[in-house]
Amino acid sequence: MYKNILTFFILFFVLNSLFGQTQKNLGYVSPIKLPISFSGGFGELRRNHFHTGLDFRTSGQIGIPVYAAQDGMVARVSVSPYGYGHALYIVHPDGKTTVYGHLSRFIPKVEAYILSQQYLLKKFAIDLKIPMGMFPIKKGEIAAWSGNSGSSGGPHLHFEIRDTQSEKPQNPLFYLPGIRDTSSPAISALYVYPLSDKSHVNKTKNKIRLETVTSKNSTNLKVRQPIEVFGEVGIGIQTNDDFSNIGFKLGIYSIELFLDQESIFSFKMDHLAFDQGRYVNSHIDYEELMKNKRWIHKLYLQPGNKMDIYQTNASRGILNLTDGKTHTLKIIASDAFRNSTTLSINLISKKIPLSVSTPSCTKVFYYDRPNNFESGEAKINLPEGSLYDQLNFDYHSIIKKGFLYSKIHEVHNQYTPVHKPYSLSIKSQSIPAHLQRKALIVMVTSSGNISPVGGEFKDGWVIAQARSFGDFAVVLDTIPPVIRPISIKENKILTNKDKIEFKISDNLSGIESFEGEIDGAWVLFEYDAKTATLSYTIDKSRLTLGKKHLLQLLVGDERKNIARYSANFIL
């Protein structure tokens, strides 16, 4: 008996190695029945987070059936103009939860329940825990229909598999059968970073970018080797995976860095954690993204990066080359199907006298403790864990008149990431008492454009929670949102018999609230933030046909400026 069990496991692992994928559970099915094609992969680099699922392409269509990937119970439903939009969560007996995002609608019994709760709570955006057992569902049954809701860049299905207890997203490629990938990742550039005052690369203290040329599963630099380095040096690569050569650049599953045949740094995208997502700003070359829109994986670990996907030795992937010898560097980038590409580089440790420059610095900030700075008109308070490494913090202020109610405060620069929100206080100037509640902090770009940060006025200061460094000032927002009707006119029959639609916009602080009533009764208006569309689907069970009705609509911004619209219409 034991011999048979051993033979089974040997055969299992051999077959998995032949197919190039280790699936943890073959009981799952694909959530859509179209030919499988992805526009987003698990672990892909995104702004301020890693992508936590698979984005299934739906041929640019809305309303494609979405199927339950496994037997389970609907446990949660959320509706929002942002994020996942209309989203469905199904909990399964194996300890996993599947998530289906950017949907257009749910199955009728779930849709009816959500609608009843929206009217009960008088809210469009809701996040409901569903009583266990209310909506059981079988594997392969229709659970919803695909859409483009929330913060979606186009019609698709966002699909996740989470560990139910920890809520950690797992890599769905290891659960869904029938997915194959035969193409290897591409490494398009190598980056080398001097990391200390005594370090240099190719006779410079600045980072260098070296382009590559790829042939089959190997990659070579376009420049002559070896590369001259000295001192503490970091490595980064620009890489992506064209899934089965479909033309979409997806994320990498794993990268491993070897120095003289010893593995010194690696990561794998087996699972992620939502509370660690913002560490992506330490994982990447943040400055390169902000300046040149390039996504670079850094292959060394900053001391303030606490993400749990890494394996590294005591060096944290940092090379310390001062011995005058030539060293071999090897980088292996792999996808989840064990297709890999290797880049090998020769480095020679060579010390070269370079001029010493003193960086601009107002104060040294540390990653492992709180940091505070105060001038006469600005206060900056960073909690512990806000930074990924020691920082030579820089601050300046300039006088700028016009619509600003403060100086412009240059808080370091936008190319250094911040992990946690920090308190930013700016002293305001000459704001009348009746307008103080309209004051807020904004970020000011080099071209003079502004974007809201927020905040509250207190004792002559506007205090906000900021998520990035940059240039900041105080302004007033006294202008209410704009409501532009699309399908309704005073005392007219609706031009769209199914919907009442508006375009709404705000000049600064942003849309915060909206509420509509017909004949004095609350009605459900749905908001699509990306198209700035506010719409009410005519509910004939709630409205009498063939008579005149009165619509009243209120739209408010974050500074409590309210716009009003009313019209009589005939249904």
Side-chain angles (χ1 to χ4, degrees):
M1 177 179 177
Y2 292 109
K3 184 177 179 181
N4 291 337
I5 293 175
L6 180 61
T7 302
F8 169 79
F9 277 108
I10 292 173
L11 180 61
F12 176 81
F13 286 115
V14 168
L15 287 174
N16 272 313
S17 65
L18 289 174
F19 280 107
Q21 179 186 19
T22 304
Q23 291 178 321
K24 297 179 180 179
N25 190 326
L26 298 179
Y28 285 75
V29 297
S30 173
I32 62 172
K33 292 186 178 179
L34 296 175
I36 292 176
S37 179
F38 301 120
S39 59
F42 186 82
E44 200 166 291
L45 306 175
R46 300 285 177 91
R47 289 283 181 134
N48 298 315
H49 69 286
F50 293 89
H51 191 237
T52 53
L54 296 174
D55 285 344
F56 285 81
R57 298 171 70 190
T58 57
S59 300
Q61 300 180 52
I62 290 174
I64 300 298
V66 174
Y67 301 90
Q70 182 62 280
D71 292 349
M73 299 280 182
V74 176
R76 177 183 169 195
V77 177
S78 64
V79 175
S80 171
Y82 309 103
Y84 293 170
H86 288 56
L88 185 74
Y89 301 72
I90 301 176
V91 65
H92 306 287
D94 64 352
K96 300 295 186 292
T97 297
T98 50
V99 183
Y100 311 77
H102 306 305
L103 304 170
S104 59
R105 57 191 173 98
F106 309 107
I107 54 176
K109 58 185 177 181
V110 174
E111 191 83 16
Y113 177 74
I114 297 306
L115 183 64
S116 70
Q117 295 302 301
Q118 288 173 312
Y119 270 89
L120 178 66
L121 299 171
K122 294 185 177 181
K123 291 175 62 178
F124 163 62
I126 57 174
D127 191 349
L128 297 177
K129 290 185 177 179
I130 306 299
M132 193 57 63
M134 177 178 283
F135 300 122
I137 194 163
K138 292 290 187 182
K139 177 174 65 176
E141 285 186 348
I142 293 178
W145 285 265
S146 70
N148 189 31
S149 59
S151 303
S152 171
H156 72 280
L157 171 68
H158 176 85
F159 176 74
E160 292 180 13
I161 297 179
R162 300 182 186 177
D163 177 80
T164 301
Q165 186 172 3
S166 68
E167 294 192 348
K168 281 189 174 184
Q170 313 293 301
N171 194 328
L173 291 174
F174 296 143
Y175 290 81
L176 298 177
I179 301 176
R180 293 292 178 263
D181 179 12
T182 57
S183 63
S184 298
I187 301 174
S188 53
L190 172 78
Y191 285 72
V192 189
Y193 304 87
L195 297 179
S196 74
D197 293 339
K198 298 179 180 179
S199 304
H200 56 77
V201 179
N202 281 355
K203 301 180 177 64
T204 178
K205 288 183 173 293
N206 301 318
K207 69 181 178 186
I208 63 170
R209 181 178 191 267
L210 303 171
E211 294 187 351
T212 66
V213 56
T214 300
S215 174
K216 293 185 178 180
N217 291 344
S218 64
T219 297
N220 296 298
L221 295 178
K222 290 184 178 180
V223 299
R224 293 179 61 184
Q225 299 188 47
I227 300 167
E228 294 181 356
V229 299
F230 185 81
E232 293 186 346
V233 173
I235 300 296
I237 60 170
Q238 183 177 359
T239 180
N240 56 66
D241 182 36
D242 187 348
F243 192 91
S244 285
N245 295 311
I246 61 173
F248 277 83
K249 296 178 180 179
L250 305 181
I252 294 296
Y253 167 64
S254 70
I255 301 177
E256 189 164 13
L257 174 66
F258 296 84
L259 177 63
D260 297 330
Q261 300 184 339
E262 177 189 357
S263 177
I264 62 170
F265 176 92
S266 68
F267 69 83
K268 289 182 179 180
M269 295 293 183
D270 287 318
H271 58 78
L272 294 166
F274 288 110
D275 61 356
Q276 297 180 0
R278 199 170 174 89
Y279 284 119
V280 70
N281 293 329
S282 175
H283 180 91
I284 65 172
D285 183 338
Y286 188 82
E287 179 184 41
E288 189 72 4
L289 174 65
M290 297 297 288
K291 287 184 176 180
N292 299 312
K293 295 181 172 56
R294 295 184 182 127
W295 293 95
I296 310 302
H297 293 268
K298 292 191 306 193
L299 306 186
Y300 62 93
L301 194 60
Q302 291 181 289
N305 184 346
K306 306 301 181 184
M307 204 173 179
D308 62 6
I309 64 171
Y310 304 103
Q311 288 187 337
T312 179
N313 61 12
S315 72
R316 306 195 318 274
I318 296 173
L319 315 179
N320 195 352
L321 304 178
T322 59
D323 57 8
K325 297 180 180 179
T326 299
H327 299 269
T328 301
L329 203 66
K330 183 172 70 173
I331 302 166
I332 302 177
S334 304
D335 62 26
F337 298 83
R338 301 195 183 110
N339 303 303
S340 64
T341 297
T342 299
L343 172 63
S344 296
I345 312 111
N346 291 320
L347 305 175
I348 184 169
S349 172
K350 187 173 182 180
K351 187 173 183 178
I352 299 172
L354 294 174
S355 60
V356 178
S357 60
T358 303
S360 173
C361 177
T362 303
K363 187 177 181 180
V364 177
F365 278 4
Y366 300 91
Y367 72 90
D368 57 353
R369 67 194 74 171
N371 295 278
N372 304 297
F373 172 80
E374 184 173 345
S375 72
E377 298 182 67
K379 300 175 185 177
I380 298 151
N381 303 103
L382 276 71
E384 180 181 343
S386 297
L387 301 173
Y388 302 119
D389 212 335
Q390 182 173 305
L391 175 67
N392 291 325
F393 176 77
D394 204 14
Y395 167 84
H396 302 279
S397 66
I398 57 174
I399 297 175
K400 187 96 172 184
K401 296 182 179 180
F403 61 90
L404 302 180
Y405 282 80
S406 73
K407 294 179 179 178
I408 293 180
H409 298 271
E410 300 174 346
V411 182
H412 201 63
N413 62 66
Q414 62 180 316
Y415 307 120
T416 299
V418 180
H419 188 70
K420 293 181 179 180
Y422 66 94
S423 176
L424 172 63
S425 304
I426 296 179
K427 195 170 186 178
S428 57
Q429 300 170 353
S430 306
I431 299 178
H434 70 285
L435 293 177
Q436 289 172 355
R437 60 193 178 97
K438 304 295 185 181
L440 73 155
I441 293 176
V442 294
M443 179 175 283
V444 185
T445 68
S446 58
S447 60
N449 294 324
I450 60 175
S451 58
V453 176
E456 299 293 335
F457 183 93
K458 184 177 181 181
D459 300 328
W461 296 77
V462 181
I463 307 168
Q465 293 291 301
R467 294 303 301 260
S468 62
F469 291 141
D471 297 350
F472 302 94
V474 172
V475 301
L476 298 184
D477 182 0
T478 60
I479 301 174
V482 174
I483 302 173
R484 183 168 63 86
I486 298 175
S487 60
I488 183 172
K489 290 183 178 180
E490 173 67 22
N491 284 320
K492 298 289 185 180
I493 296 174
L494 296 177
T495 58
N496 184 339
K497 294 182 180 180
D498 297 320
K499 281 187 176 183
I500 300 176
E501 291 185 294
F502 298 88
K503 289 288 186 180
I504 61 175
S505 60
D506 187 66
N507 72 315
L508 183 53
S509 59
I511 301 294
E512 182 185 57
S513 64
F514 52 88
E515 186 169 352
E517 291 184 350
I518 295 180
D519 301 332
W522 186 90
V523 292
L524 176 63
F525 271 90
E526 301 187 36
Y527 180 41
D528 186 341
K530 63 181 174 291
T531 62
T533 303
L534 191 63
S535 63
Y536 165 67
T537 300
I538 301 295
D539 187 342
K540 296 178 181 178
S541 68
R542 299 174 188 269
L543 297 181
T544 303
L545 304 180
K547 63 167 286 189
K548 184 180 290 187
H549 300 274
L550 173 62
L551 168 69
Q552 293 178 300
L553 178 65
L554 302 179
V555 178
D557 66 16
E558 197 271 338
R559 293 290 99 173
K560 311 304 179 188
N561 300 301
I562 304 296
R564 293 172 170 84
Y565 177 89
S566 65
N568 292 284
F569 67 94
I570 301 169
L571 185 60

